Amino acid sequence: MNSFKSSNKLAVLALLFCLILSLSLFAEASSKHYKPKKSTYGVRFYSRSCPAAEAIIKKAVFKAVLMNPGVAAGLIRMHFHDCFIRGCDGSVLLDSVKGKETAEKDSPINNPSLRGFEVIDEAKALLEKLCPRTVSCADILAYAARDSALFAGGINYALPGGRRDGRVSLSSEVIQNLPPPFFNANQLQDNFKRKGLSLDEMVTLSGAHSIGITHCSSFSNRLYGFNATHPQDPSLDPRYASFLKHECPRPISDTQFDPTVNLDVSSPNHLDNKYYLNLKNHRGLLTSDQTLFESPLTSKLVMNNVKYGSTWARKFAAAMVHMGSIEILTGNKGEIRKNCHFVN
């Protein structure tokens, strides 16, 4: 009887041993076929495939901003205009093709106001020589905007890479997605919310208007014939309005005479929180600027940014990273263009 029990125990142990051995062999075989997925989006994305990529882009931006400080504002604005139409896919860089609908860059909203294309072209040409078909145009634009914030305002942040380029660019989609200069705070909130950005991020990113220029036609309605009661927008500081009338001497009825003025009269080439102080002093240039202070929805956020400049700078960096991830193409989606002006 005891020998029978012993033989049963041995049989069970043998069975368990065989089971454990087969499981371990299966696991070993499986591990040989397992390959970790390559990261499709992340910080230092090109550290192996093109280690000099970010440095090359930064050098191109620095060179351009040194010659013309306004280029920094242009690149940040171009990145914003790219991300709000079809996501951050470099579609704003594509040229129009004969026989097809005009591209985003040729929309009346973008042409001729967007600038900085030559910086992207220079960086792309250098990268194609060093690392062919590796660095996307969408990433070049995103890094260029990041570097512009650094050179214009000392704002630096780690930015993920891995965006791929889109193949579609339609001018009709620009007006459907970009907020116009006459939007109020509620409309701006809804517009940014559709892109996954919060109310605070909307107010924070609006601080980019502390640098750059805009055409008189974008705000001339505030100077001439505002409404039946007020020929001039009463929310405008009178002295500031007089200055603007000098710069924009008549209502703009055509594109042949449409001068430009600085969005921020106090520090036009420095990305900082003085933009919010301008709003407090009723010197917001666009309706969509001044509404941020006038509206109860956003006035407290504006005042916080007036008081805490360093906090605003940190929030701006975080919001730029978030904005740069809107509806991006990664992995096998999209393409890596050889030339940023054309699809492959």
Side-chain angles (χ1 to χ4, degrees):
M1 189 72 172
N2 288 336
S3 61
F4 177 75
K5 287 183 178 179
S6 297
S7 62
N8 275 352
K9 286 181 180 179
L10 288 172
V12 171
L13 287 172
L15 182 63
L16 286 173
F17 176 77
C18 291
L19 181 60
I20 292 170
L21 180 62
S22 63
L23 287 173
S24 64
L25 289 172
F26 175 77
E28 183 180 353
S30 299
S31 66
K32 289 179 180 179
H33 293 90
Y34 172 76
K35 293 182 179 180
K37 287 185 178 179
K38 181 183 176 182
S39 174
T40 57
Y41 184 64
V43 175
R44 294 182 56 79
F45 182 79
Y46 298 102
S47 60
R48 292 187 178 181
S49 59
C50 191
E54 292 190 46
I56 288 172
I57 297 165
K58 184 172 290 185
K59 185 177 179 180
V61 173
F62 178 71
K63 175 184 169 183
V65 172
L66 195 62
M67 294 177 64
N68 179 5
V71 171
L75 289 168
I76 292 173
R77 183 166 182 255
M78 194 193 301
H79 182 43
F80 169 72
H81 281 223
D82 182 41
C83 291
F84 266 54
I85 294 94
R86 292 185 170 267
C88 311
D89 66 346
S91 55
V92 74
L93 302 170
L94 286 170
D95 286 353
S96 295
V97 177
K98 188 176 181 180
K100 295 184 178 181
E101 180 181 331
T102 53
E104 293 169 29
K105 65 164 59 171
D106 290 322
S107 161
I109 295 174
N110 286 335
N111 185 13
S113 63
L114 286 188
R115 52 183 174 158
F117 292 102
E118 71 284 353
V119 182
I120 307 302
D121 291 340
E122 179 179 339
K124 180 62 173 175
L126 291 170
L127 288 167
E128 281 301 305
K129 288 180 181 179
L130 184 66
C131 317
R133 301 289 296 276
T134 301
V135 184
S136 69
C137 299
D139 272 349
I140 294 173
L141 178 52
Y143 287 129
R146 186 269 306 272
D147 296 334
S148 295
L150 173 63
F151 294 131
I155 300 174
N156 195 20
Y157 48 92
L159 182 68
R163 301 166 191 79
R164 288 171 64 87
D165 299 319
R167 299 185 180 96
V168 178
S169 183
L170 304 173
S171 61
S172 60
E173 295 182 342
V174 176
I175 195 170
Q176 299 170 16
N177 289 279
L178 287 178
F182 53 79
F183 262 12
N184 61 38
N186 293 92
Q187 291 170 316
L188 289 170
Q189 180 187 29
D190 292 341
N191 180 268
F192 276 66
K193 186 178 181 180
R194 286 197 295 271
K195 304 302 176 182
L197 298 169
S198 69
L199 180 68
D200 188 36
E201 286 175 316
M202 180 271 286
V203 176
T204 298
L205 289 170
S206 296
H209 281 184
S210 69
I211 54 176
I213 58 176
T214 191
H215 287 273
C216 292
S217 58
S218 298
F219 60 87
S220 60
N221 66 303
R222 302 184 70 198
L223 303 175
Y224 308 99
F226 181 66
N227 58 34
T229 308
H230 301 283
Q232 179 178 295
D233 187 345
S235 68
L236 266 176
D237 169 50
R239 288 178 297 177
Y240 184 47
S242 296
F243 164 77
L244 293 175
K245 285 181 177 179
H246 179 267
E247 301 298 309
C248 307
R250 64 179 177 84
I252 309 302
S253 58
D254 57 68
T255 57
Q256 299 302 313
F257 181 73
D258 195 0
T260 59
V261 296
N262 291 318
L263 284 161
D264 180 351
V265 71
S266 59
S267 56
N269 293 321
H270 192 197
L271 181 61
D272 55 27
N273 70 322
K274 288 183 181 178
Y275 162 81
Y276 302 99
L277 183 61
N278 289 338
L279 302 186
K280 180 187 174 186
N281 293 331
H282 300 280
R283 292 190 168 199
L285 185 58
L286 306 176
T287 297
S288 55
D289 291 323
Q290 194 58 48
T291 188
L292 300 181
F293 179 75
E294 305 298 330
S295 172
L297 181 68
T298 50
S299 58
K300 289 183 179 179
L301 295 173
V302 169
M303 288 308 300
N304 282 337
N305 291 335
V306 171
K307 295 175 183 177
Y308 310 110
S310 59
T311 300
W312 167 78
R314 289 194 296 272
K315 290 197 301 178
F316 183 82
M320 286 290 285
V321 173
H322 190 188
M323 186 187 78
S325 68
I326 294 175
E327 299 171 24
I328 58 173
L329 303 172
T330 60
N332 295 322
K333 297 179 181 178
E335 64 183 15
I336 305 295
R337 286 184 221 141
K338 296 179 183 178
N339 185 318
C340 293
H341 292 262
F342 311 102
V343 298
N344 293 337

